[in-house]
Amino acid sequence: MGQVKAYQLTSPEFMSRLYFRVLLGYKLNLKNPRTLNEKLQWLKLYYWPNNPKAIQCADKYAVREYIKEIGKGELLNDILFVWDRAEDIEWGKLPRQFVLKCNHGCGYNMCR
């Protein structure tokens, strides 16, 4: 059996409230959000998960299609490779300097 993480045992709202309190030091008000941070949490929990464009734009790879659709494709950097699994990376084919970015989250970048 795999390791169970706390967020798997509770709701996204509970975890947002917990992290919000720990990081910002005050109680998250989702019924009447007033601060920018509260409004962002409300959007994260209730609006963005149901908005197809927001879902597409949160995806580092899929957002590229949206950028092209709106006529701004010239702003995109080149992608050399795309892999579905880390095991498929052919390290010898990478340039001397590179950045690897995971599509499933933030803070998982690898630079060389």
Side-chain angles (χ1 to χ4, degrees):
M1 179 188 266
Q3 182 181 9
V4 176
K5 296 179 176 57
Y7 64 84
Q8 294 172 319
L9 299 174
T10 187
S11 71
E13 183 178 317
F14 175 82
M15 292 306 294
S16 292
R17 288 180 184 281
L18 178 65
Y19 287 136
F20 192 92
R21 180 69 174 229
V22 169
L23 294 173
L24 297 175
Y26 65 98
K27 187 176 175 182
L28 173 60
N29 182 349
L30 291 171
K31 289 189 181 7
N32 187 21
R34 294 181 184 208
T35 68
L36 175 63
N37 286 320
E38 288 176 333
K39 291 175 182 181
L40 287 172
Q41 293 304 307
W42 186 91
L43 287 167
K44 177 185 78 173
L45 291 166
Y46 304 116
Y47 177 73
W48 292 330
N50 302 310
N51 182 306
K53 192 60 68 185
I55 293 167
Q56 179 184 15
C57 290
D59 182 306
K60 291 180 187 87
Y61 191 69
V63 72
R64 297 175 67 82
E65 286 306 311
Y66 174 69
I67 298 298
K68 291 173 189 173
E69 286 171 17
I70 63 170
K72 299 294 182 182
E74 73 278 0
L75 299 174
L76 296 170
N77 62 318
D78 294 332
I79 293 181
L80 300 179
F81 303 99
V82 175
W83 302 280
D84 290 323
R85 303 173 329 130
E87 296 84 10
D88 296 336
I89 298 172
E90 297 180 59
W91 296 98
K93 290 188 176 181
L94 294 173
R96 192 175 66 76
Q97 291 185 324
F98 61 86
V99 175
L100 297 179
K101 296 178 77 70
C102 291
N103 198 40
H104 69 282
C106 63
Y108 297 100
N109 303 337
M110 178 183 181
C111 302
R112 184 174 120 197

